[in-house]
Structure formats: structure tokens, C-alpha cells
Amino acid sequence: MASRSLSLLQTTSPYISSRTHLDFGSKSQVVVLGSRGIPKPRKLCFSVRSMGSSPSSSKPESSTTQEAGSVDYKSISEEEWKKRLTGEQFYITRQKGTERAFTGEYWNTKKPGTYHCICCDTPLFESSTKFDSGTGWPSYYQPIRNNVKSKSDLSIIFMPREEVLCAACDAHLGHVFDDGPPPTGKRYCINSASLKLKPK
């Protein structure tokens, strides 16, 4: 049994004979396994990472940044919208109402800027596309990208129209007609109460 005993020695020499030798920095540890044959020792590999760096298998940062801007507006209840909006804004955007002509805040505004959805702040129209339609409602010939969508509105049987909605939150904005100026020939007739102008 004595010949099989395991003894662990520490030395500052770089090696001792041809027995198993493990190098750990400035000190070496020699493992002596008696007189019996031992398999050839395997090399030990150590990875060193400088402070502040991240291992390749590290987890991604907090998912908050990924979730930013991913609010599901369509799941917001009517009660919650009532808390977020004024009575007129709620009536127009969530109940498909219409403000009286020549009464809205933006029907005659000529300030440069971007018109955003009052409900979810999505940019909808640039002031450069606004024109005087003579109707008493803010009118635009082109929306920003695909931030506006439209669908058939058959609420008035003898006058079918195309309803205009915010693509992000389904807020009712107004209607679109085919009597606008070039280059689109469209007139997006929008309720002021559904908009928020951010001046440039």
C-alpha cells in the first residue's frame, strides 16, 4: 500500500525527473504516484480573460432594449384609452367620430414639422405634404411610409368611403379621397384631434 500512496510536493524548480509535472505559474506541483507505470500526462489548458471583456457565451443584455417600442396598442382597453386621451380625442380616434369643419387646431396651420398620432406618437404626415383643400380639415397628399393604412367604410350606405387609420394603434384619423393634388392625387382628410404636431 505504501508504494501506491499519493504524495503532493511543491517545488520552485522547473521540473523533477520525468515524473508527472504540472506547471501553475511560479510554483510547480509534482504528483508522484509510486513505482507503478502511469499514463502520459495530458496538457492542461487555461483561458485567461482580461477584466471588462465578455466571454463569448455570455447572456445578452437586458431585453428591455429589445422590447422598447413593442407596445401592443391593440390590446389596450377602452377604459385605458379614456384615461390617456381627452374626451374629444377619444371620441374621434377610438369611436370613429368627426370634428366639425374649421374648428380643429390644425386645419389652417402652416408651421413646418411632423404630425404624429395622438394615441401612440407614430409619425403620420410631414407638413411639406399638407395643402389647403378648402374643406376645413387638415389635408395631406401623402402619408409617411406605411404608417397609415386604409379600409372600406360603409357606415354611410349611399356614400362609401376609405377610412384612414394609424397602422400602429388603429386610431381613426379620417378618410382619404381621390381628389388631391399631384403627385399622388390623394386627399387625406384628417381630424386635428387625432394629430399632434411636432414643429421642426
Side-chain angles (χ1 to χ4, degrees):
M1 293 293 291
S3 63
R4 297 183 182 180
S5 62
L6 175 67
S7 61
L8 184 63
L9 304 175
Q10 284 194 345
T11 177
T12 55
S13 65
Y15 62 90
I16 291 183
S17 71
S18 58
R19 296 179 184 176
T20 306
H21 170 248
L22 305 176
D23 189 4
F24 293 92
S26 62
K27 291 190 176 182
S28 298
Q29 292 185 346
V30 177
V31 179
V32 181
L33 298 177
S35 59
R36 303 186 78 178
I38 57 172
K40 186 178 179 181
R42 295 180 181 176
K43 291 183 179 179
L44 297 179
C45 298
F46 299 93
S47 64
V48 178
R49 180 167 54 89
S50 60
M51 292 185 66
S53 64
S54 303
S56 57
S57 61
S58 63
K59 293 182 181 179
E61 290 182 6
S62 170
S63 58
T64 353
T65 50
Q66 298 173 356
E67 293 172 1
S70 61
V71 178
D72 182 10
Y73 292 103
K74 294 171 187 178
S75 68
I76 296 177
S77 67
E78 281 203 0
E79 289 305 311
E80 181 59 30
W81 282 123
K82 282 180 182 177
K83 292 175 186 175
R84 295 183 181 204
L85 304 168
T86 67
E88 185 184 28
Q89 290 167 348
F90 177 78
Y91 166 66
I92 288 168
T93 61
R94 310 322 304 182
Q95 297 184 317
K96 303 184 186 299
T98 302
E99 64 196 9
R100 288 183 296 116
F102 302 101
T103 63
E105 181 181 359
Y106 301 124
W107 78 270
N108 201 28
T109 298
K110 294 177 173 60
K111 287 181 184 176
T114 304
Y115 291 86
H116 291 242
C117 176
I118 196 68
C119 296
C120 68
D121 203 35
T122 297
L124 303 175
F125 301 96
E126 292 291 353
S127 60
S128 57
T129 65
K130 190 173 188 285
F131 67 97
D132 184 4
S133 63
T135 60
W137 286 282
S139 298
Y140 311 84
Y141 61 78
Q142 182 176 316
I144 295 173
R145 295 184 295 278
N146 296 321
N147 295 355
V148 164
K149 63 183 180 179
S150 63
K151 69 175 186 178
S152 295
D153 178 3
L154 303 175
S155 58
I156 303 175
I157 299 172
F158 59 87
M159 193 176 77
R161 300 172 294 175
E162 281 291 305
E163 180 187 6
V164 177
L165 303 151
C166 172
C169 71
D170 277 346
H172 171 76
L173 306 174
H175 293 86
V176 61
F177 304 93
D178 292 323
D179 58 4
T184 64
K186 298 289 185 183
R187 171 171 60 94
Y188 290 84
C189 190
I190 308 298
N191 292 286
S192 291
S194 66
L195 302 173
K196 175 171 57 178
L197 173 61
K198 294 189 177 181
K200 287 185 177 176

Coordinates of all heavy atoms in Angstrom, one line a residue, residues 21-24 29 41-47:
H21 N 4.4 16.3 -14.3 CA 4.8 17.7 -13.9 C 3.7 18.6 -14.3 O 3.4 18.7 -15.5 CB 6.1 18.0 -14.5 CG 6.5 19.4 -14.3 ND1 6.6 20.3 -15.4 CD2 6.8 20.2 -13.2 CE1 6.9 21.5 -15.0 NE2 7.1 21.4 -13.7
L22 N 3.1 19.4 -13.4 CA 2.1 20.3 -13.7 C 2.6 21.7 -13.3 O 3.0 21.9 -12.2 CB 0.8 20.1 -13.0 CG 0.2 18.7 -13.2 CD1 -1.0 18.5 -12.3 CD2 -0.2 18.4 -14.6
D23 N 2.6 22.6 -14.3 CA 3.1 24.0 -14.0 C 2.0 25.0 -13.8 O 1.2 25.2 -14.6 CB 4.0 24.4 -15.2 CG 4.7 25.7 -14.9 OD1 4.7 26.2 -13.8 OD2 5.4 26.2 -15.9
F24 N 2.0 25.6 -12.6 CA 1.0 26.6 -12.2 C 1.7 27.9 -11.9 O 2.0 28.1 -10.7 CB 0.2 26.1 -11.0 CG -0.7 25.0 -11.3 CD1 -0.3 23.7 -11.1 CD2 -2.0 25.1 -11.9 CE1 -1.1 22.6 -11.3 CE2 -2.8 24.1 -12.1 CZ -2.4 22.8 -11.9
Q29 N 3.8 21.9 -9.2 CA 3.3 20.8 -8.3 C 3.6 19.5 -9.0 O 3.3 19.3 -10.2 CB 1.8 21.0 -8.1 CG 1.4 22.2 -7.3 CD -0.1 22.2 -7.0 OE1 -0.8 21.5 -7.6 NE2 -0.4 23.1 -6.0
P41 N 0.9 12.2 -19.0 CA 0.0 13.3 -18.5 C -0.5 14.1 -19.7 O 0.2 14.3 -20.7 CB 0.9 14.1 -17.6 CG 2.3 13.9 -18.1 CD 2.3 12.4 -18.5
R42 N -1.7 14.6 -19.6 CA -2.3 15.4 -20.6 C -1.9 16.9 -20.3 O -1.8 17.3 -19.2 CB -3.8 15.3 -20.7 CG -4.2 13.9 -21.1 CD -5.7 13.8 -21.1 NE -6.2 12.5 -21.5 CZ -7.5 12.2 -21.5 NH1 -8.4 13.0 -21.1 NH2 -7.8 11.0 -21.9
K43 N -1.8 17.7 -21.4 CA -1.6 19.1 -21.1 C -2.8 19.8 -20.6 O -3.9 19.5 -21.0 CB -1.1 19.8 -22.5 CG 0.2 19.3 -22.9 CD 0.6 20.1 -24.2 CE 2.0 19.6 -24.7 NZ 2.4 20.3 -25.9
L44 N -2.6 20.7 -19.7 CA -3.7 21.5 -19.2 C -3.8 22.8 -19.9 O -2.8 23.4 -20.0 CB -3.6 21.7 -17.6 CG -3.6 20.4 -16.8 CD1 -3.4 20.8 -15.3 CD2 -4.9 19.7 -17.0
C45 N -5.0 23.2 -20.3 CA -5.1 24.5 -20.9 C -5.9 25.4 -20.1 O -7.0 25.0 -19.5 CB -5.8 24.3 -22.3 SG -4.9 23.3 -23.4
F46 N -5.5 26.6 -19.9 CA -6.2 27.6 -19.2 C -6.5 28.8 -20.1 O -5.6 29.3 -20.7 CB -5.4 28.1 -17.9 CG -5.1 27.0 -17.0 CD1 -3.9 26.2 -17.1 CD2 -6.0 26.6 -16.0 CE1 -3.6 25.2 -16.2 CE2 -5.7 25.6 -15.1 CZ -4.5 24.9 -15.2
S47 N -7.7 29.3 -20.1 CA -8.0 30.5 -20.8 C -8.0 31.7 -19.9 O -8.6 31.6 -18.8 CB -9.4 30.4 -21.5 OG -10.4 30.3 -20.6

